[in-house]
Amino acid sequence: MSAAWTALESHHAAIANLRMADEFANDSKRATNFSLDAAGLFLDYSKNRITTETKSLLIALAREHGLEARRNAMFAGEHINTTENRAVMHVALRAGVGRGARRFSVDGKDVVPEVKRVLEHMQRFSHQVRDGVWKGYTGSAITDIVNIGIGGSDLGPLMVCEALRTYIPQGLNVHFVSNVDGAALDCVLSSVDAETTLFIVASKTFTTQETLTNATSARSWFLENGGTHADVAKHFVAVSTNAAAVAKFGIDTANMFEFWDWVGGRYSLWSAIGLSIAIAIGMDAFEELLAGANEMDEHFATAPLEKNMPALLALVGVWNVNFLGATSQCVAPYAQDLHRLPAYLQQLEMESNGKSVDRDGKPLTMASCPVIWGEPGTNGQHAFFQLLHQGTSTIPVDFIAALHADSEHELDASHHRLLLANCFAQSEALMVGKSAEQVRAELVAQRMSEAEIAALTPHKVFSGNRPSNTLLMSELTPKSLGALIALYEHKVFVQGVIWNVNSFDQWGVELGKQLAKTIDGELKLGVVSGAHDGSTVALMRRALGK
Ligand code: F6P
């Protein structure tokens, strides 16, 4: 263990009994000292079991792990994804709209002109579709976009389109099909018309079984519903890094939007993978999304660690996982339109840092990524918040809220006021808790008997002292959303540096893919080979009715 890690362990032992409520009572500046603004976002991390010393030690840990140098290496286009020998340059995708002087080169080549060229392609195409210039095979305008992709080729675009649904014009419908379960595709196809539907087949590799299966079925449906082979070009476009596979599938590469191997799948919504977003919300709004992320990138690249939002969010997370023993992290957006954010963050964080060997392949000696999960508030309050308040484990929560509702679609100010009140109340309740004395006083006031009070009190006590962060933005806009997503991307980067893992590969998804291919082949032939374990053999036999 490094010197900073050991110092943090001793510090943890020294402040084991820290009560956040006492810290607030003793320090009127705690909320100010443990909060900051960046790129239009406000982060309050004061409701964590930390002191000024904890913060200094965590920053020392980051420096000891070479965070600044590792961050600079990413921005410089070095091949930091060592197991795939690739640069990690999703930040360059946001530079196409940035006004900064920063250069983004991969292997000595400035990549920004390429990024801009693809953005222009996306702009032309999205305008044509939105303006009704791009016609279907009967001459009708496109009314429905169906994005077929999975993982990073689905979750990001889906999450953003949901978050910014108020930017989608009436009459334009955007659908996402990811699951290979035919029910997913069927559900969408039964609600659209072949004449007016555009399919975007989104796959970085263009080898993903689920996506190719869904795309093949969608094309068959199109041909069975009035389209001809010659019409496919008007209704199917592709987003990929693999032109050869796109051509083999039968999509004209003139209708292909490209990106590059230095864009990881879960970091790709900013690339042409965001085509469905650009069509849905318009290119101007898509560029605002990029601009918001670019602002957070510049903050991450230049702010000292003491005032660096992604670094601080990440380090507090490391404190909670590695020193307080948290094994999961709840994300609770108090914004219904962010309802897919937890699912998106699950891939971003868990596929990036869900690793158990370090960058040199040696077993980790500390815990890495916690389980990420969550649901929008206030719904979560009436489902799983019971466990957050009174359960046996400590589960840190990220509360995320916009101070103002979308001005055009605001129903009634009371909705938003109540939403915010609940958001703030939950973090307060988690931190302050309710003591046995307070419970007792309440029950006495209700004129309960001593016996009833004694029986009920333990059930009504809240231990409190449970950590949370609160992230606020003025309004949920493309710009603030861009900054929010980039914040979490960089948080993941920083945590990857501390845990010393490669945050940009995902070998752990491969074994299941390999085995599924073998099993699918056997199920297709109706045979079960002896190459499987007893349980799998029995399951396969059952599926085959044998
Ligand atoms: O299953 C893992 C994964 O490789 C993700 O990393 C990726 O986002 C997803 O599959 C989809 O991959 P592709 O865009 O190549 O179809």
Side-chain angles (χ1 to χ4, degrees):
M1 283 296 167
S2 67
W5 195 278
T6 311
L8 275 160
E9 277 174 343
S10 312
H11 171 69
H12 172 246
I15 65 160
N17 297 325
L18 176 143
R19 298 280 311 172
M20 286 184 262
D22 297 338
E23 299 296 310
F24 275 103
N26 296 334
D27 179 5
S28 61
K29 295 219 167 70
R30 182 177 170 88
T32 315
N33 290 343
F34 292 136
S35 62
L36 77 163
D37 288 275
L41 302 184
F42 172 74
L43 167 65
D44 175 357
Y45 59 99
S46 64
K47 291 193 185 92
N48 280 286
R49 279 161 30 196
I50 57 169
T51 65
T52 312
E53 193 186 350
T54 324
K55 181 176 165 181
S56 307
L57 289 171
L58 286 167
I59 288 169
L61 178 73
R63 293 222 160 90
E64 203 172 273
H65 282 244
L67 173 59
E68 285 130 321
R70 296 272 301 276
R71 172 194 64 190
N72 298 347
M74 174 173 75
F75 277 85
E78 287 179 27
H79 285 212
I80 61 169
N81 177 357
T82 47
T83 62
E84 294 179 308
N85 190 21
R86 287 176 186 166
V88 173
M89 280 293 257
H90 46 277
V91 287
L93 300 168
R94 285 92 83 133
V97 297
R99 280 177 281 279
R102 192 181 292 283
R103 276 177 58 80
F104 291 89
S105 306
V106 174
D107 301 327
K109 189 177 162 214
D110 182 358
V111 296
V112 175
E114 281 287 283
V115 168
K116 286 189 172 160
R117 185 178 57 74
V118 175
L119 278 175
E120 276 159 23
H121 189 191
M122 290 168 70
Q123 179 167 40
R124 280 195 306 278
F125 185 70
S126 58
H127 280 170
Q128 284 179 332
V129 174
R130 284 167 67 89
D131 296 347
V133 175
W134 184 276
K135 306 275 191 223
Y137 71 92
T138 58
S140 301
I142 298 297
T143 57
D144 290 82
I145 309 292
V146 181
N147 187 88
I148 298 179
I150 198 163
S153 301
D154 166 76
L155 287 164
L158 168 60
M159 182 271 285
V160 172
C161 286
E162 291 290 302
L164 302 176
R165 73 184 165 85
T166 57
Y167 290 74
I168 303 175
Q170 282 220 330
L172 181 62
N173 310 303
V174 190
H175 315 264
F176 290 85
V177 176
S178 52
N179 199 329
V180 74
D181 181 346
L185 183 63
D186 187 50
C187 181
V188 170
L189 294 183
S190 61
S191 71
V192 297
D193 191 330
E195 289 176 43
T196 54
T197 299
L198 175 75
F199 294 92
I200 301 176
V201 186
S203 174
K204 178 177 171 181
T205 55
F206 230 79
T207 58
T208 304
Q209 272 184 332
E210 294 94 322
T211 299
L212 295 187
T213 303
N214 276 326
T216 304
S217 299
R219 190 177 48 191
S220 303
W221 171 88
F222 174 75
L223 296 172
E224 282 157 18
N225 282 273
T228 65
H229 285 281
D231 299 324
V232 167
K234 299 188 183 89
H235 292 267
F236 284 78
V237 298
V239 181
S240 188
T241 58
N242 187 348
V246 169
K248 192 164 163 234
F249 179 82
I251 294 181
D252 186 347
T253 47
N255 295 333
M256 169 178 152
F257 296 78
E258 62 188 304
F259 62 116
W260 309 272
D261 74 355
W262 42 263
V263 182
R266 52 195 174 273
Y267 299 87
S268 64
L269 71 89
W270 324 96
S271 71
I273 287 290
L275 184 62
S276 52
I277 306 174
I279 297 173
I281 67 174
M283 199 63 192
D284 290 348
F286 183 69
E287 290 193 352
E288 280 290 293
L289 184 81
L290 299 182
N294 182 252
E295 213 175 311
M296 184 56 78
D297 295 341
E298 279 307 310
H299 165 77
F300 178 54
T302 56
L305 300 186
E306 290 76 3
K307 292 183 182 155
N308 194 306
M309 191 180 280
L312 291 168
L313 186 63
L315 291 170
V316 165
V318 165
W319 173 252
N320 287 334
V321 168
N322 297 111
F323 299 91
L324 301 187
T327 54
S328 89
Q329 165 75 55
C330 176
V331 180
Y334 275 64
Q336 185 57 34
D337 289 339
L338 286 176
H339 71 111
R340 292 302 286 165
L341 182 69
Y344 168 79
L345 291 179
Q346 281 179 333
Q347 187 198 14
L348 180 66
E349 302 213 18
M350 292 161 76
E351 201 173 71
S352 296
N353 287 339
K355 312 279 165 70
S356 54
V357 296
D358 70 13
R359 288 187 302 145
D360 300 319
K362 299 209 180 73
L364 291 186
T365 53
M366 80 276 274
S368 60
C369 189
V371 174
I372 307 292
W373 60 284
E375 277 289 323
T378 58
N379 295 10
Q381 290 172 208
H382 300 276
F384 55 80
F385 269 53
Q386 161 65 40
L387 183 149
L388 298 182
H389 287 289
Q390 290 188 317
T392 47
S393 27
T394 298
I395 301 178
V397 186
D398 280 0
F399 291 96
I400 301 171
L403 290 174
H404 306 286
D406 181 307
S407 36
E408 272 179 47
H409 298 85
E410 198 165 356
L411 265 182
D412 169 348
S414 66
H415 281 259
H416 204 72
R417 196 187 57 234
L418 197 52
L419 181 70
L420 281 181
N422 273 278
C423 178
F424 301 161
Q426 288 301 320
S427 70
E428 186 174 36
L430 285 168
M431 194 270 283
V432 175
K434 192 185 268 189
S435 67
E437 293 70 42
Q438 288 171 310
V439 172
R440 185 182 160 73
E442 281 181 9
L443 298 182
V444 167
Q446 288 168 30
R447 301 181 180 283
M448 280 198 182
S449 72
E450 276 305 320
E452 283 171 324
I453 291 173
L456 209 46
T457 299
H459 299 280
K460 299 193 88 166
V461 165
F462 289 68
S463 62
N465 216 25
R466 294 175 185 245
S468 69
N469 295 307
T470 300
L471 268 161
L472 299 176
M473 61 198 97
S474 174
E475 215 177 294
L476 181 57
T477 62
K479 198 153 186 216
S480 60
L481 181 63
L484 180 72
I485 303 167
L487 166 67
Y488 275 97
E489 286 180 345
H490 297 317
K491 171 204 162 182
V492 166
F493 178 86
V494 174
Q495 294 192 329
V497 169
I498 303 297
W499 294 323
N500 196 25
V501 296
N502 179 355
S503 304
F504 302 103
D505 60 13
Q506 55 286 317
W507 299 108
V509 302
E510 294 303 325
L511 178 58
K513 286 186 193 173
Q514 259 173 20
L515 296 181
K517 224 179 220 171
T518 309
I519 294 175
D520 186 48
E522 291 182 22
L523 292 179
K524 194 171 168 192
L525 295 173
V527 296
V528 181
S529 78
H532 309 281
D533 61 89
S535 160
T536 308
V537 165
L539 294 171
M540 290 172 70
R541 287 213 175 112
R542 230 166 227 272
L544 290 171
K546 289 187 172 178

